[in-house]
Amino acid sequence: MIGITDRIEGVLAQFLSPAVRKSVIDCGVRQARVDRDSMREADLRRLLVEVKRGVQLFVRDQVQLERCVSQLNELDYAAPAPREILVDVRTEEDVLRARSAGRELCIEQMVSDVLLTKIVTAISELGRNIVRYAGSGEISVRSIMSPQRAIEICAKDQGPGITNLAEILSGKYRSRHGMGAGLRGTKALMDEFDIQTGPGKGTVVTVRKLLG
Ligand SMILES: Nc1ncnc2c1ncn2[C@@H]1O[C@H](COP(=O)(O)OP(=O)(O)O)[C@@H](O)[C@H]1O
Ligand SMILES: [Mg+2]
């Protein structure tokens, strides 16, 4: 992979001054512990992760940042394409199918076991809530590349909605089902958590786990 740092530099040149891009690359090389002169695919992947971290500190404009990250991702030949799996959820068995979808995407994206477990736990909690409280809905699991690599889970239903959300998220609410992580636990497991819910609106929970 000769000249890969030159190609990274070529991308950064559109977004950062010479001094800043040099330091982003030097710092990335150090953090990722790669040897510039003999880089393998896995080294490149680690280097790109570090360079993207650096870029996030210095490219403040969101649109520019996304453009820069997506160009960097194009340098990563081995990166699997982002994709989405949609599962209709009515039964406990559908929840298992959604879990399998999550597992599949995690493996494809080389997610660690620890993160994979968190992700499938979140899918179970959100899926069981759909089955139990809304009757039916859908879960989508997506791998995303920008602005940061992540796995996103979106659980959607047209059920009765949640009226006491603040209480539930504060931890005052006692779950009827005891041991589950619930919504609060799911929030704690994930890096980003968004919920839109209310009577007549149904419930949409979107969570993301960042993959570094
Ligand atoms: N998709 C949903 N639609 C309607 N109500 C929901 C939904 N998800 C959760 N809830 C309500 O929020 C409460 C808290 O959910 P959760 O934190 O998962 O704990 P648990 O399911 O153990 O009660 C549920 O008891 C239920 O009343
Ligand atoms: Mg629950």
Side-chain angles (χ1 to χ4, degrees):
M1 244 176 259
I2 295 165
I4 191 68
T5 47
D6 292 342
R7 296 185 58 195
I8 293 175
E9 164 112 44
V11 171
L12 299 191
Q14 304 165 61
F15 305 96
L16 298 170
S17 71
V20 172
R21 64 186 186 252
K22 180 174 183 308
S23 89
V24 166
I25 293 173
D26 290 348
C27 191
V29 166
R30 265 200 316 279
Q31 294 289 330
R33 296 171 200 276
V34 297
D35 176 353
R36 280 173 200 259
D37 302 318
S38 64
M39 249 195 281
R40 293 161 183 277
E41 229 159 62
D43 299 330
L44 170 60
R45 164 86 38 86
R46 285 206 314 283
L47 175 58
L48 285 172
V49 166
E50 296 303 331
V51 167
K52 282 185 254 178
R53 249 196 259 281
V55 158
Q56 270 164 32
L57 295 175
F58 294 106
V59 181
R60 309 303 315 189
D61 179 80
Q62 194 62 26
V63 175
Q64 293 280 85
L65 177 62
E66 285 191 21
R67 202 167 291 156
C68 181
V69 167
S70 92
Q71 286 189 33
L72 288 170
N73 284 339
E74 278 167 26
L75 298 180
D76 188 356
Y77 309 109
R83 67 187 181 105
E84 174 171 18
I85 303 179
L86 254 176
V87 180
D88 279 325
V89 175
R90 278 173 193 282
T91 64
E92 199 61 36
E93 199 165 313
D94 296 330
V95 177
L96 295 178
R97 288 200 297 129
R99 278 176 67 105
S100 301
R103 183 178 299 275
E104 187 181 320
L105 281 191
C106 284
I107 290 168
E108 193 170 287
Q109 294 295 329
M110 293 182 289
V111 172
S112 73
D113 283 353
V114 174
L115 292 194
L116 183 149
T117 305
K118 292 179 179 179
I119 288 164
V120 296
T121 302
I123 293 172
S124 293
E125 291 297 329
L126 299 176
R128 294 213 176 98
N129 282 354
I130 290 177
V131 174
R132 213 174 260 156
Y133 308 116
S136 69
E138 65 177 40
I139 289 189
S140 77
V141 190
R142 310 200 282 146
S143 48
I144 55 183
M145 296 298 164
S146 85
Q148 252 184 295
R149 282 183 69 225
I151 299 286
E152 182 183 275
I153 306 158
C154 181
K156 227 182 256 183
D157 67 63
Q158 304 278 329
I162 305 174
T163 46
N164 56 337
L165 185 64
E167 188 191 357
I168 289 164
L169 294 181
S170 75
K172 285 186 201 123
Y173 165 85
R174 275 268 149 259
S175 156
R176 279 179 283 155
H177 303 281
M179 303 298 283
L183 286 170
R184 192 169 137 86
T186 300
K187 186 173 181 197
L189 287 173
M190 296 290 113
D191 296 309
E192 291 173 21
F193 179 94
D194 178 74
I195 180 164
Q196 305 293 328
T197 187
K201 288 207 303 186
T203 300
V204 182
V205 186
T206 309
V207 299
R208 280 185 184 180
K209 192 76 204 167
L210 304 181
L211 304 182

